[in-house]
């Protein structure tokens, strides 16, 4: 027997795939198959493409439009279905597949059953109640992110955070987010973030995918780790229509990773605008208060100036000068009047005198002249004495004279002169006027006399 093949048993790939397809379709015939539906898609052609699987294996399936029009429900990933199908081979790719001719529901899928069971258990333990949820920090400074380094979620989150608040610090705790051991790694990353305690809030999540892709976030280990976290957790798994157990146990659920970044950050431009408005209000208030106190201070300075002993002394000095001028003017007028009267008398004497009256008149004239001369100094002394008495009286009542003798005048902060211990209180600043200046003091204690 020849060890080399003959032309009769040499296949090309197309022939082999065709023969295998015929063997499968003719040899197996119609089969009934139970499995869980996943990776469901319906292109524009209207055909259905999906995968049927159980715990250990999976198989590609197709259901053409003419057959799927008779299906009485809308298939979704996770459905447990019973299909009537023919086993076949897709020749162009050599893929083993089944062609479904009919389909009916066989209850919820295994994953959906596990989802509902775990959710029910966590609900009974109180881990899903709103009362235990914590509010997110109002002004977080460090954001922790538990996700894949290579996934689409991470750049989406980072872009939103950078746009809204570039000052935020971000710490990434990389982990697998799907496949074997993903749930364990996610739980370890959350525990690691808590042990370091360097973040104000944690975003835990990934981008969208099928139920199987998101399943790590439905695992019990992840759910309990999130519930036990001392750092507030935002769950951001998949798209808005996707729900996982992590969404229910987290403190806040975000519909997408980008939405999670919006939740934990503040728009810094809005904060800058608010700060600018507050600064304007503060400046306006400050200016208003300063203007008010300047007016009040000007009023107090004016009142103090009006009550200042130096001002009063200057006024009294001017009054003394005016009085002296009036006295001198009065004396001068009196002297002038006497001179005029004397001259008038002399003229009369000259006009009516006779030779025998001249000696007597001269004697009388001399006597009158001496009286007049004597009266002028006396009158001047009397006026000077009266002026001295008035000066003495004014000096006696002058505040400065009192100050020179060792006394002082003390006023409170409002400029009122203190007359009693009850006019001041401890801690108040008072001003004392002395003969050569002023001093300020603070009241440390008071001891009113009984």
């Amino acid at each position: 027997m020849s060890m080399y093949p003959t032309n009769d048993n040499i296949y090309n790939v197309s022939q082999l795939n065709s023969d295998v397809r015929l063997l499968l379709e003719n040899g197996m015939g119609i089969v009934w198959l139970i499995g869980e539906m996943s990776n469901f898609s319906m292109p524009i052609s209207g055909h259905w493409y999906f995968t049927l699987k159980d715990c250990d294996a999976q198989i590609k399936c197709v259901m053409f439009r003419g057959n799927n029009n008779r299906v009485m429900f809308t298939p979704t990933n996770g459905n447990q279905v019973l299909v009537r199908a023919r086993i076949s081979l897709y020749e162009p790719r050599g893929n083993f597949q089944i062609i479904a001719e009919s389909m009916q529901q066989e209850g919820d899928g295994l994953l959906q059953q596990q989802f509902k069971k775990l959710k029910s258990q966590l609900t009974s333990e109180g881990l899903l109640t709103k009362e235990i949820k914590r509010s997110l920090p109002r002004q977080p400074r460090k954001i922790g992110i538990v996700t894949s380094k290579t996934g689409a979620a991470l750049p989406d989150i980072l872009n939103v955070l950078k746009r809204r608040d570039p000052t935020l610090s971000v710490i990434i705790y990389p982990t697998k987010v799907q496949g074997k051991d993903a749930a364990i790694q996610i739980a370890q990353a959350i525990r690691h973030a808590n042990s370091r305690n360097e973040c104000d809030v944690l975003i835990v999540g990934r981008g969208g995918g099928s139920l199987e892709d998101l399943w790590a976030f439905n695992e019990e280990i992840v759910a309990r780790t999130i519930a036990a976290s001392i750092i507030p957790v935002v769950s951001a798994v998949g798209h808005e229509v996707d729900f996982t157990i992590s969404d229910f146990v987290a403190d806040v659920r975000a519909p997408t990773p980008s939405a999670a970044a919006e939740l934990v950050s503040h728009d810094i431009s809005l904060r800058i605008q608010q700060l600018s408005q507050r600064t304007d209000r503060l400046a306006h208030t400050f200016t208003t208060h300063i203007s008010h106190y300047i007016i009040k201070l000007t009023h107090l300075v004016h009142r103090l100036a009006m009550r200042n002993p130096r001002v009063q002394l200057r006024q009294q000095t001017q009054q003394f000068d005016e009085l002296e001028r009036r006295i001198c003017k009065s004396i001068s007028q009196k002297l002038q009047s006497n001179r005029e009267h004397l001259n008038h008398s002399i003229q009369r004497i000259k006009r009516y005198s006779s030779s025998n009256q001249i000696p007597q008149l001269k004697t009388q004239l001399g006597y009158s002249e001496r009286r007049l001369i004597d009266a002028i100094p006396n009158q001047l002394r009397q006026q000077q004495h009266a002026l001295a008495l008035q000066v003495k009286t004014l000096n006696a009542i002058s505040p400065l004279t009192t100050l020179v003798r060792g006394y002082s005048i003390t006023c409170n902060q409002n400029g009122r002169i203190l007359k009693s211990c009850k006019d001041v209180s401890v801690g108040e600043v008072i001003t004392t006027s002395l003969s050569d200046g002023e001093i300020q003091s603070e009241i440390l204690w008071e001891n009113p006399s009984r």
Side-chain angles (χ1 to χ4, degrees):
M1 182 176 179
S2 175
M3 60 179 296
Y4 296 101
T6 64
N7 289 335
D8 293 336
N9 57 9
I10 295 177
Y11 289 89
N12 59 36
V13 176
S14 299
Q15 290 175 336
L16 178 62
N17 284 352
S18 177
D19 289 349
V20 171
R21 180 181 65 81
L22 292 174
L23 286 174
L24 289 173
E25 292 178 353
N26 296 329
M28 295 291 296
I30 298 297
V31 296
W32 290 88
L33 188 64
I34 293 178
E36 181 180 334
M37 179 179 290
S38 65
N39 298 321
F40 178 82
S41 66
M42 183 178 67
I44 194 171
S45 64
H47 306 318
W48 291 353
Y49 297 93
F50 55 94
T51 300
L52 281 182
K53 66 179 183 177
D54 57 20
C55 295
D56 300 316
Q58 63 182 14
I59 185 173
K60 298 289 185 180
C61 304
V62 60
M63 192 172 194
F64 297 116
R65 183 172 58 183
N67 292 323
N68 63 38
N69 286 337
R70 297 190 295 269
V71 176
M72 304 303 296
F73 66 98
T74 301
T76 57
N77 291 327
N79 285 151
Q80 194 80 6
V81 295
L82 173 65
V83 297
R84 180 179 182 272
R86 292 181 290 106
I87 299 176
S88 182
L89 183 80
Y90 183 55
E91 294 182 23
R93 295 183 182 175
N95 290 339
F96 172 59
Q97 66 178 12
I98 63 171
I99 301 174
E101 296 182 351
S102 66
M103 178 188 300
Q104 62 189 39
Q105 286 182 299
E106 192 66 21
D108 290 343
L110 179 60
L111 294 180
Q112 290 291 344
Q113 292 177 8
Q114 294 175 0
F115 180 94
K116 291 182 178 180
K117 180 180 178 182
L118 179 57
K119 182 180 177 183
S120 176
Q121 179 182 350
L122 296 176
T123 300
S124 65
E125 295 179 15
L127 297 183
L128 274 59
T129 58
K130 294 182 178 180
E131 288 74 13
I132 67 171
K133 306 296 184 183
R134 291 167 295 183
S135 301
L136 299 184
R138 296 185 61 184
Q139 297 290 339
R141 305 311 307 163
K142 286 189 177 181
I143 309 298
I145 304 175
V146 176
T147 190
S148 170
K149 291 191 298 184
T150 59
L154 182 58
D156 289 344
I157 295 173
L158 295 178
N159 288 336
V160 172
L161 293 178
K162 183 178 180 180
R163 170 175 55 82
R164 287 174 61 82
D165 191 351
T167 65
L168 285 174
S169 298
V170 177
I171 301 176
I172 301 171
Y173 304 95
T175 178
K176 289 177 61 177
V177 293
Q178 73 179 67
K180 186 178 180 181
D181 299 330
I184 296 176
Q185 289 193 21
I186 294 171
Q188 289 175 344
I190 296 173
R191 293 193 195 102
H192 181 57
N194 276 268
S195 66
R196 295 179 63 174
N197 196 24
E198 56 193 349
C199 300
D200 301 312
V201 64
L202 275 178
I203 297 176
V204 178
R206 55 154 292 161
S210 66
L211 180 63
E212 292 80 8
D213 296 335
L214 307 181
W215 190 252
F217 296 91
N218 290 317
E219 295 285 357
E220 183 174 2
I221 185 174
V222 174
R224 294 193 179 278
T225 304
I226 291 176
S229 174
I230 61 174
I231 303 174
V233 175
V234 177
S235 177
V237 181
H239 302 298
E240 187 170 359
V241 296
D242 297 322
F243 280 89
T244 64
I245 296 295
S246 298
D247 295 331
F248 295 106
V249 297
D251 296 295
V252 176
R253 185 248 177 186
T256 62
S258 297
E262 297 270 355
L263 286 174
V264 302
S265 62
H266 293 277
D267 192 344
I268 195 169
S269 61
L270 178 61
R271 290 167 58 189
I272 292 174
Q273 181 181 359
Q274 293 174 345
L275 181 60
S276 177
Q277 293 174 349
R278 292 178 181 177
T279 302
D280 292 341
R281 288 200 299 269
L282 180 61
H284 176 72
T285 302
F286 181 77
T287 303
T288 302
H289 279 280
I290 288 297
S291 299
H292 170 73
Y293 285 117
I294 288 175
I295 294 172
K296 186 175 181 180
L297 179 61
T298 302
H299 178 66
L300 292 175
V301 169
H302 178 70
R303 289 180 58 190
L304 181 61
M306 294 299 295
R307 298 184 180 183
N308 194 323
R310 291 188 179 88
V311 175
Q312 296 181 4
L313 181 60
R314 286 196 297 268
Q315 293 176 351
Q316 292 175 358
T317 302
Q318 290 178 351
Q319 293 175 356
F320 294 155
D321 293 340
E322 178 65 23
L323 182 59
E324 183 179 6
R325 284 194 299 271
R326 290 173 60 187
I327 292 173
C328 291
K329 182 177 180 181
S330 176
I331 294 173
S332 176
Q333 290 176 348
K334 186 68 174 177
L335 289 174
Q336 181 64 28
S337 176
N338 289 337
R339 289 192 185 97
E340 291 176 354
H341 184 266
L342 177 60
N343 291 331
H344 179 69
S345 298
I346 292 173
Q347 293 298 327
R348 288 180 63 189
I349 291 172
K350 287 180 178 181
R351 186 180 305 119
Y352 299 106
S353 65
S354 61
S355 58
N356 59 349
Q357 293 178 334
I358 290 176
Q360 184 180 358
L361 292 176
K362 286 183 178 180
T363 302
Q364 292 178 352
L365 179 61
Y367 177 74
S368 298
E369 184 177 3
R370 284 194 300 272
R371 287 183 59 191
L372 180 60
I373 294 173
D374 292 338
I376 291 173
N378 291 334
Q379 183 69 22
L380 182 60
R381 282 193 298 271
Q382 290 176 1
Q383 295 293 335
Q384 288 177 342
H385 180 67
L387 176 62
L389 289 177
Q390 291 181 358
V391 171
K392 184 177 181 180
T393 301
L394 289 175
N395 285 332
I397 64 174
S398 172
L400 291 180
T401 304
T402 304
L403 296 181
V404 170
R405 293 202 303 268
Y407 292 93
S408 62
I409 299 175
T410 303
C411 301
N412 61 13
Q413 292 178 344
N414 297 324
R416 294 182 55 189
I417 296 176
L418 300 181
K419 299 180 180 179
S420 171
C421 291
K422 298 179 180 179
D423 293 341
V424 295
S425 57
V426 175
E428 185 174 356
V429 176
I430 61 175
T431 302
T432 302
S433 297
L434 302 173
S435 61
D436 57 351
E438 295 179 347
I439 59 173
Q440 287 190 338
S441 310
E442 180 180 353
I443 302 300
L444 301 180
W445 60 275
E446 57 179 349
N447 185 19
S449 61
R450 296 183 179 177

